[in-house]
Amino acid sequence: RTEALHQTLPPNVLFHNEKEQRKSGIRGDYFNGIDLQDAPMLSRIDERIDFQWTLFSPDPRIAFDHFAVRWEGMIVPDSSGTWHIGIEGNDGYRLFMNNALVIDRWDDQGFGTKMIPFKFEKDVPCELRIEYRERVGNSRFKLIWDRNVRHDLRDARVQRAVDLMRTCDVAIVVAGIEEGEFRDRSSLKLPGRQ
């Protein structure tokens, strides 16, 4: 059984400015090389940030390995609240919210998830910039948040299991990690609240 702890930000909250008008999607500048210094080889509007470039690059003009992406735009939520937002990915990345660096994992790393709490206000744009670099191998990358994820149900199920185990002489607990082709782990840290 798997439980969603987060979801990819949907297209209806991601925007960019074009000629002083708000347009759907987020602007992605794609670079050959990982330093984000030269002119991009490709600029396009991405509907969402949810990519898995396993056996190919983002575009034929971009190198298979050793590339970078800078996404810029805004999140305009349709309701207010404090949610966790972050990145699920590998290699190096940085997340900026309203021009403040909130997640800095620029060093090379294996696949993982990093999230921070952030207060959103309905219809108030939050400036967004993400920098990502991919050196070699598989590339998985998502912009995620936990909006609309029912943590209370998960917490209640965990508490029921803990209460039940306290009444037993012996408890056998089975916990797991997601594994499979192209999903090698750099750590044995269990996901979520395991």
Side-chain angles (χ1 to χ4, degrees):
R1 174 181 67 164
T2 60
E3 260 182 292
L5 302 177
H6 53 266
Q7 61 183 358
T8 303
L9 268 74
N12 68 313
V13 300
L14 293 173
F15 298 92
H16 68 285
N17 282 326
E18 187 175 305
K19 297 181 183 174
E20 299 185 30
Q21 290 188 345
R22 187 183 297 168
K23 303 275 185 166
S24 294
I26 190 161
R27 179 185 175 87
D29 292 325
Y30 291 76
F31 300 81
N32 278 323
I34 60 171
D35 59 9
L36 299 165
Q37 298 298 316
D38 297 326
M41 288 295 297
L42 166 70
S43 293
R44 69 183 189 195
I45 304 303
D46 290 322
E47 179 180 85
R48 66 175 60 205
I49 299 175
D50 183 359
F51 297 103
Q52 184 167 348
W53 296 301
T54 302
L55 301 174
F56 52 89
S57 71
D59 184 90
R61 294 171 278 183
I62 305 298
F64 177 79
D65 283 323
H66 210 70
F67 68 86
V69 185
R70 180 185 297 119
W71 287 282
E72 293 181 287
M74 66 191 89
I75 299 169
V76 183
D78 55 8
S79 62
S80 296
T82 299
W83 306 298
H84 288 84
I85 185 167
I87 303 293
E88 182 180 81
N90 63 335
D91 295 327
Y93 54 83
R94 296 180 182 130
L95 173 63
F96 297 81
M97 304 284 288
N98 289 328
N99 296 313
L101 178 62
V102 295
I103 295 178
D104 186 0
R105 298 197 66 187
W106 198 238
D107 295 330
D108 290 341
Q109 63 208 306
F111 183 77
T113 301
K114 177 71 176 170
M115 300 178 78
I116 55 107
F118 194 85
K119 183 177 181 179
F120 292 94
E121 292 184 40
K122 180 179 180 179
D123 298 327
V124 175
C126 173
E127 295 297 320
L128 173 71
R129 184 172 87 232
I130 299 171
E131 297 173 345
Y132 171 66
R133 66 180 181 185
E134 200 286 317
R135 285 190 185 272
V136 66
N138 302 314
S139 176
R140 295 190 295 162
F141 198 79
K142 294 181 181 184
L143 176 62
I144 57 173
W145 65 1
D146 66 355
R147 180 178 174 219
N148 297 329
V149 175
R150 296 287 311 268
H151 295 292
D152 57 333
L153 295 176
R154 179 192 66 209
D155 292 346
R157 284 195 297 265
V158 169
Q159 189 58 52
R160 278 196 311 271
V162 168
D163 292 343
L164 179 61
M165 286 192 309
R166 286 188 174 131
T167 66
C168 301
D169 293 329
V170 175
I172 299 173
V173 178
V174 178
I177 56 177
E178 179 184 1
E179 291 184 344
E181 190 67 28
F182 302 116
R183 296 192 185 277
D184 296 338
R185 297 184 60 87
S186 60
S187 130
L188 292 178
K189 180 180 173 188
L190 293 173
R193 297 189 57 199
Q194 297 185 52

